[in-house]
Amino acid sequence: QVQLVESGGGLVQAGGSLRLSCAASGRTFSRYAMGWFRQAPGKEREFVATISQSGAMTSSADSVKGRFTISRDNAKNTVYLQMNSVKPEDTAVYYCAAGTYSRETRSYDSWGQGTQVTVSS
């Protein structure tokens, strides 16, 4: 299991950009695929993006495709979510997770505490 800590959330205007980071503990970061999920108030947790162990493969939700980019730096034990052209609908708590390459929450074993992203209109 890996411990994860998200950072980089905050307030941003619609159309702006934000970069989230997720720092992982331990020396086995590269063993895990990583994912980003989000949960808005009163809504279910939803998939945002995932990246394979090496970073060779990525997948993202249709709602963020073309706007958000997931990446990782295994040497730094960190995964990122670059958020561009943000919309008010992107407002949510964003969670990073470690597990197997998948769009499903059940595929991830370790979760961070989350970081709040608020997009104003």
Side-chain angles (χ1 to χ4, degrees):
Q1 185 171 307
V2 61
Q3 293 181 333
L4 307 171
V5 180
E6 303 96 335
S7 63
L11 293 168
V12 61
Q13 290 188 343
S17 296
L18 204 64
R19 189 175 82 156
L20 307 184
S21 298
C22 177
S25 65
R27 299 183 298 276
T28 59
F29 177 70
S30 63
R31 289 173 50 91
Y32 304 97
M34 300 293 296
W36 285 98
F37 295 79
R38 67 188 184 186
Q39 187 165 24
K43 295 187 177 181
E44 294 183 352
R45 181 174 49 184
E46 67 174 357
F47 168 77
V48 176
T50 185
I51 187 167
S52 62
Q53 295 166 309
S54 68
M57 297 186 296
T58 63
S59 182
S60 60
D62 289 344
S63 59
V64 307
K65 197 160 295 181
R67 300 188 298 118
F68 294 5
T69 302
I70 188 170
S71 62
R72 68 190 296 163
D73 187 338
N74 287 350
K76 296 181 178 179
N77 282 11
T78 303
V79 64
Y80 306 95
L81 184 69
Q82 179 65 47
M83 306 169 60
N84 296 329
S85 302
V86 296
K87 305 174 181 179
E89 307 93 271
D90 297 321
T91 296
V93 176
Y94 284 71
Y95 299 91
C96 66
T100 56
Y101 186 73
S102 172
R103 290 168 168 253
E104 304 296 328
T105 59
R106 74 177 93 94
S107 298
Y108 297 86
D109 301 315
S110 301
W111 294 81
Q113 293 290 103
T115 185
Q116 176 71 47
V117 172
T118 303
V119 182
S120 64
S121 61

